[in-house]
Amino acid sequence: MKRKKNTSTIFNRIVKHTYLLLLIPSFSANADERPGLLMNGAISAEFTDNVLNNASETSDTALLVEPEMTYLGLVGKHKFLLNYNGKFANYTKDSDLSYNEHKFSVNARLDHSHRINTEFQLDFDKEIETPGTTNTSTQSLTDFNKYRNISALARLSLGQRTSIGQLIFSYRHSERDYTNNQQEYRDFDQDEYIATFLYRVTPKTRLLFQVSSAEYNYDTQQNNSLTFNQSSTQKTYLAGLDFAVSTQITGRFKIGYQDKDYDDVRFNDISGLSYLLDGTWKPTIFTHITFSATRQTTESAQVNEGGFLSTSYAINLSHQLTSRSTITTKLSRDNDDVVFTLGSADRTDKRNTINIGLSHSLRTWLDIKLVYKYQEKTSNSEIFEFQTNSLQLSLETTF
């Protein structure tokens, strides 16, 4: 898929709308655990040459306002956290693409004793789905898929991070509901149970053993004779390390076996290798590198098709050029091995993403950022392929 790109046109559209950044107030928050109310936010102008990631290659410029708010309350050793993240996107050419995202979270971390801790969390998210990240084609898409997600978490910890042994039990219930584009067949509820045991073998290294079970219930499909029932039970057995090789290298690695068993016999059950890696490397005080790798089962977004195995890799480099300027680069690769239920040829989708960003501190509380992003998806079938370029200029507060 070849296209001519006019870089000057893209940049001029960004600059044209940058003056709007000065007309709208921003809000800010900080991850620093300081009691009280913290607010933060960003205002951006973004040009994208393929907004919906499909063959129509519709280009548009959006004004983005992203407020954040965090409130931390302390009662003795207990912590109570309220968090909100919003995103308001207004497209200049096609206003029908404009959307609002909201993420609310209420968290309570209760320190009962040196050995027993509990955590409770409620989340409400209203989001859009990035086109091209599922196993469905985007060619007929005219608007972003939108959904609501509600979840509740309860966690019990026996022992501390510094203990010889620590047991962690957690339960999460979540409900996802799609609200447009006739995606209701994808609505599901999930109940997930996880038990984790960590054993300290050195002062900075812990062995990890984890067992989890997740139940997916597609009530809409169960009551519809035209669709297969995609409900399933997924179990995972993992072992690994929670490590800190030095102050420069830290992370967690888990590897093991996963098994997904569908209620409907017409779906192919999934089993095999599963792993997760998250790590950080700080070779110098100016350079920060994070890396990750996962292999896991992903729910299908295609009617009458089961889930599939996804493998993802990512590396993120942040380097401080001067005391006020930082350059960041992120590379990621996703492979989806899609196995069809109805006898069609299997498919492999590959997504590559490149992010290059430059930020500069205008004030101790204000940064300006310029970010270029390239996305590409290739597949056995051309109807799943696309490529996209975007350029974003932002002002971001850092109180």
Side-chain angles (χ1 to χ4, degrees):
M1 186 181 296
K2 296 182 179 179
R3 294 182 277 166
K4 293 183 178 180
K5 302 297 178 186
N6 191 331
T7 305
S8 61
T9 301
I10 296 174
F11 184 76
N12 289 337
R13 293 195 184 193
I14 292 292
V15 174
K16 177 180 177 181
H17 294 280
T18 303
Y19 72 94
L20 294 172
L21 303 177
L22 304 177
L23 303 180
I24 302 178
S26 61
F27 306 89
S28 179
N30 195 338
D32 184 25
E33 290 196 347
R34 185 180 70 189
L37 179 65
L38 295 174
M39 293 192 297
N40 194 347
I43 303 174
S44 311
E46 180 183 67
F47 173 79
T48 305
D49 65 0
N50 192 358
V51 178
L52 294 173
N53 291 340
N54 57 25
S56 66
E57 298 186 354
T58 302
S59 63
D60 211 333
T61 303
L63 177 67
L64 309 174
V65 181
E66 300 177 71
E68 301 177 16
M69 182 189 72
T70 300
Y71 179 81
L72 175 63
L74 300 178
V75 179
K77 296 182 179 180
H78 307 314
K79 296 180 181 180
F80 301 89
L81 188 67
L82 173 66
N83 192 71
Y84 167 74
N85 296 84
K87 186 175 184 179
F88 302 84
N90 182 32
Y91 284 88
T92 58
K93 288 172 58 178
D94 187 354
S95 59
D96 290 339
L97 291 175
S98 300
Y99 63 86
N100 298 331
E101 288 187 323
H102 306 280
K103 297 181 181 181
F104 296 93
S105 177
V106 180
N107 180 278
R109 304 172 190 175
L110 308 179
D111 188 349
H112 302 284
S113 69
H114 180 68
R115 294 184 177 181
I116 300 176
N117 295 273
T118 56
E119 180 179 356
F120 302 92
Q121 182 166 315
L122 296 174
D123 293 279
F124 173 81
D125 301 329
K126 178 185 176 185
E127 300 182 75
I128 67 163
E129 186 175 72
T130 303
T133 56
T134 68
N135 62 322
T136 58
S137 171
T138 59
Q139 301 310 319
S140 61
L141 201 62
T142 58
D143 190 11
F144 299 105
N145 290 332
K146 300 179 176 69
Y147 65 87
R148 292 189 299 264
N149 198 79
I150 301 173
S151 65
L153 167 72
R155 178 178 290 123
L156 169 66
S157 299
L158 303 176
Q160 301 285 341
R161 186 176 181 82
T162 56
S163 304
I164 294 297
Q166 184 182 25
L167 270 171
I168 303 174
F169 302 96
S170 64
Y171 165 72
R172 182 189 295 274
H173 174 78
S174 59
E175 300 177 4
R176 175 167 294 193
D177 298 306
Y178 287 83
T179 59
N180 71 330
N181 291 344
Q182 299 180 330
Q183 297 289 299
E184 294 81 6
Y185 67 91
R186 298 174 60 191
D187 296 353
F188 69 85
D189 297 348
Q190 181 193 43
D191 291 286
E192 183 178 35
Y193 305 84
I194 302 177
T196 306
F197 175 66
L198 297 115
Y199 180 77
R200 185 172 301 283
V201 291
T202 72
K204 295 182 178 180
T205 303
R206 298 191 296 174
L207 293 175
L208 179 150
F209 304 93
Q210 187 175 87
V211 178
S212 66
S213 177
E215 296 179 0
Y216 296 83
N217 296 301
Y218 286 79
D219 293 334
T220 303
Q221 295 179 359
Q222 292 177 10
N223 300 323
N224 185 350
S225 59
L226 300 178
T227 59
F228 300 167
N229 180 10
Q230 200 175 330
S231 300
S232 66
T233 299
Q234 182 172 324
K235 296 181 179 180
T236 308
Y237 311 90
L238 301 170
L241 291 173
D242 188 14
F243 60 89
V245 177
S246 64
T247 56
Q248 286 80 32
I249 303 176
T250 59
R252 174 173 286 193
F253 175 64
K254 299 184 287 187
I255 188 170
Y257 179 80
Q258 61 181 332
D259 179 68
K260 190 174 185 69
D261 185 15
Y262 285 97
D263 294 352
D264 195 319
V265 296
R266 288 171 290 191
F267 287 118
N268 295 315
D269 294 338
I270 302 172
S271 61
L273 179 68
S274 177
Y275 57 77
L276 182 147
L277 169 66
D278 280 306
T280 300
W281 178 34
K282 300 178 182 178
T284 72
I285 60 174
F286 305 107
T287 304
H288 187 178
I289 300 173
T290 60
F291 47 91
S292 64
T294 60
R295 178 179 170 84
Q296 59 188 5
T297 303
T298 300
E299 293 299 290
S300 173
Q302 209 163 359
V303 65
N304 290 342
E305 296 296 343
F308 52 92
L309 285 172
S310 295
T311 307
S312 303
Y313 308 96
I315 183 168
N316 193 340
L317 167 66
S318 175
H319 180 69
Q320 189 174 347
L321 300 173
T322 69
S323 60
R324 301 176 65 179
S325 300
T326 302
I327 187 171
T328 58
T329 302
K330 181 177 181 180
L331 306 175
S332 64
R333 174 72 176 267
D334 300 277
N335 296 336
D336 296 337
D337 297 317
V338 183
V339 179
F340 290 101
T341 303
L342 301 178
S344 302
D346 296 343
R347 195 180 82 235
T348 299
D349 297 341
K350 298 180 179 180
R351 296 190 306 277
N352 297 305
T353 304
I354 301 173
N355 281 274
I356 302 174
L358 179 65
S359 65
H360 180 74
S361 177
L362 299 174
R363 298 288 187 272
T364 56
W365 55 272
L366 182 65
D367 291 344
I368 185 170
K369 295 183 178 181
L370 181 65
V371 178
Y372 167 74
K373 182 178 182 180
Y374 173 77
Q375 299 180 76
E376 177 189 56
K377 184 173 184 177
T378 60
S379 176
N380 301 28
S381 175
E382 290 185 359
I383 66 171
F384 297 95
E385 296 186 341
F386 64 82
Q387 64 178 28
T388 303
N389 295 271
S390 65
L391 192 64
Q392 184 181 82
L393 182 64
S394 306
L395 284 176
E396 183 176 305
T397 57
T398 55
F399 292 114

